Amino acid sequence: YLRSPSTPPPAMIEIADKLVTVCATMNEYPHIRFRSTSDLCKTLADIFHNKMNEFVGNNTNWWYYGDAAHSARDRSTLLLLDRADDCLSPLVHEFTYQAMVNDLLPIEDDRITFQAETVGTAAENEAETIAKDALLNENDSLWVELRGKHIADVIQILSNRIREIVNSGSGAALSKTGKDSGKALSLQQMANALKALPEYREVMSKLSQHMHISHQCMEIFNRQNLLDMSELEQTLATGKNDEGRAPRLADLISEVETALQNIPSSMMRLRLLAILITSQNGVRDLDKDRLFVAARVSDAEKR
C-alpha cells in the first residue's frame, strides 16, 4: 500500500498526472469524492485537484461538460477508492496477459526472464533453450497492445501474425505450418519459422518473445488447475455459482476445504482462504479451524 507521507511518492504524482490527462481528453472537470477516513485518497485528491486547476488555468480555450457553454449535462464525479474498499480483487485470479505475467511469473522492475529456443544452432526439430531477459514496458509496443487482452486471445493474435509472415512469399517453404489457420501455433512451429525466415528476424523475435512468455503463463495455468480454481473464486466473490444460484455457506466451506487439500502451494492455499474469509465477512471459529487444518496452516502463518 501507498502511505500518505508529507512528500507524496512519485507513484501518486504519476496517478494524478494520468487522471488529469484522461479528464482533459474527455473534457471533464470532475467533482472529487472519497471516503473521509482514507488518508491515501485525500492526498491523491489534493494532488489531482491542484494539477487539474493548474491545467484549466493554463488552457483558457479548453472547455468541459457543465460549463456555461456546455450545459447539456452537469460536471462528472470522480470517485476515489483505496484497496481497503475492495480487498478481493487482488486475491482473485485474472486472466488478462498483464495480470497473468505479474501473478504467475517472476518479474521485477518490468524485467522478466523466459526460456527461449535458440535460432540456427540446434539441429532440426532438436531445439535448445536458453534464458533470455525482456523488458515489458511502454517501449514494447506489442506488450502495450496485448497486455489488456485475455491470454487466449493473446496467443491467437501472436499465432496469426506469425502465420501471416510464414504464408508470405518469403515463407512459402513453411506453408504447411499455416494450413490449419484456426489453431494456435506450437512453440516448435514458431521456432522453425524463425529459423527459416532470417529477413523477418527482428519482428519474429519480438513475436517469439511474447509467444514464449504467454505459453509459460498457460503452462502454469494448466499445472495449477486455475480454471477450476477461478470458478470457485468467482462463486465466493459474487455469491453466485455458474448457474446463477446462491450456494449455502456450508457447501462453500466444504468445497473450499476439498480444494485446499489438493493445492500443493502454501501461498495458493492462503490466497484461497483469504478469499473465502473476506468474501463471507469472516467465518465461525469452528469452520476456520477446520479450514486451517485442510490448508496445513502453520502456527507462524496463523499469527
Side-chain angles (χ1 to χ4, degrees), residues 97-114 132-137 140 143 147 209-210 213 216-217 220:
Y97 186 26
Q98 185 177 32
M100 291 188 73
V101 166
N102 283 277
D103 192 5
L104 304 179
L105 302 181
I107 183 170
E108 184 174 354
D109 296 330
D110 298 330
R111 183 180 298 277
I112 186 171
T113 300
F114 64 98
K132 287 189 175 182
D133 287 340
L135 278 176
L136 303 180
N137 55 27
D140 185 340
W143 167 251
R147 61 189 175 187
Q209 168 186 302
H210 285 285
I213 294 172
Q216 284 186 12
C217 289
I220 298 173

Side-chain angles (χ1 to χ4, degrees), residues 97-295:
Y97 186 26
Q98 185 177 32
M100 291 188 73
V101 166
N102 283 277
D103 192 5
L104 304 179
L105 302 181
I107 183 170
E108 184 174 354
D109 296 330
D110 298 330
R111 183 180 298 277
I112 186 171
T113 300
F114 64 98
Q115 297 297 317
E117 291 167 347
T118 57
V119 178
T121 60
E124 190 69 24
N125 295 325
E126 294 181 1
E128 298 173 351
T129 59
I130 60 173
K132 287 189 175 182
D133 287 340
L135 278 176
L136 303 180
N137 55 27
E138 302 300 316
N139 295 322
D140 185 340
S141 59
L142 194 55
W143 167 251
V144 172
E145 176 191 351
L146 299 176
R147 61 189 175 187
K149 298 183 183 297
H150 191 280
I151 189 69
D153 295 330
V154 169
I155 292 175
Q156 191 62 57
I157 289 170
L158 293 171
S159 294
N160 289 343
R161 293 191 184 173
I162 294 171
R163 188 174 282 110
E164 287 172 4
I165 296 174
V166 168
N167 289 340
S168 67
S170 298
L174 290 174
S175 59
K176 182 179 179 181
T177 305
K179 282 185 178 181
D180 195 352
S181 59
K183 296 179 67 175
L185 290 176
S186 69
L187 292 178
Q188 184 60 54
Q189 288 174 316
M190 179 196 62
N192 290 340
L194 187 57
K195 294 175 188 177
L197 301 172
E199 65 271 35
Y200 291 103
R201 179 68 53 84
E202 184 175 351
V203 63
M204 287 287 283
S205 178
K206 182 61 67 174
L207 292 168
S208 168
Q209 168 186 302
H210 285 285
M211 184 69 93
H212 277 93
I213 294 172
S214 58
H215 271 277
Q216 284 186 12
C217 289
M218 286 305 301
E219 287 172 4
I220 298 173
F221 173 89
N222 291 324
R223 186 168 66 246
Q224 297 185 354
N225 197 23
L226 292 183
L227 180 59
D228 290 342
M229 178 67 68
S230 67
E231 292 178 357
L232 177 54
E233 291 174 349
Q234 289 299 315
T235 299
L236 292 169
T238 63
K240 299 288 182 66
N241 58 23
D242 55 2
E243 297 176 348
R245 299 175 181 174
R248 296 185 310 138
L249 178 58
D251 294 335
L252 281 177
I253 290 176
S254 295
E255 190 172 354
V256 169
E257 181 181 25
T258 300
L260 290 171
Q261 293 169 345
N262 296 305
I263 297 174
S265 165
S266 61
M267 183 59 68
M268 286 280 291
R269 295 195 298 269
L270 290 173
R271 186 169 173 173
L272 181 57
L273 267 177
I275 292 173
L276 171 64
I277 294 172
T278 302
S279 65
Q280 304 304 314
N281 295 315
V283 295
R284 298 180 308 166
D285 288 341
L286 184 64
D287 292 327
K288 188 185 299 183
D289 292 340
R290 170 183 162 193
L291 293 168
F292 280 177
V293 170

Side-chain angles (χ1 to χ4, degrees), residues 10-61:
M12 191 173 292
I13 296 174
E14 182 181 359
I15 291 170
D17 286 335
K18 289 182 176 181
L19 286 173
V20 171
T21 300
V22 170
C23 291
T25 303
M26 300 177 67
N27 295 100
E28 298 287 1
Y29 189 19
H31 302 290
I32 308 171
R33 299 290 182 266
F34 56 89
R35 189 189 296 273
S36 61
T37 56
S38 175
D39 293 336
L40 180 66
C41 287
K42 182 181 185 306
T43 302
L44 179 58
D46 289 341
I47 297 172
F48 168 72
H49 179 67
N50 292 333
K51 285 180 174 290
M52 194 70 206
N53 285 347
E54 181 181 358
F55 170 81
V56 174
N58 293 335
N59 295 271
T60 55
N61 293 326

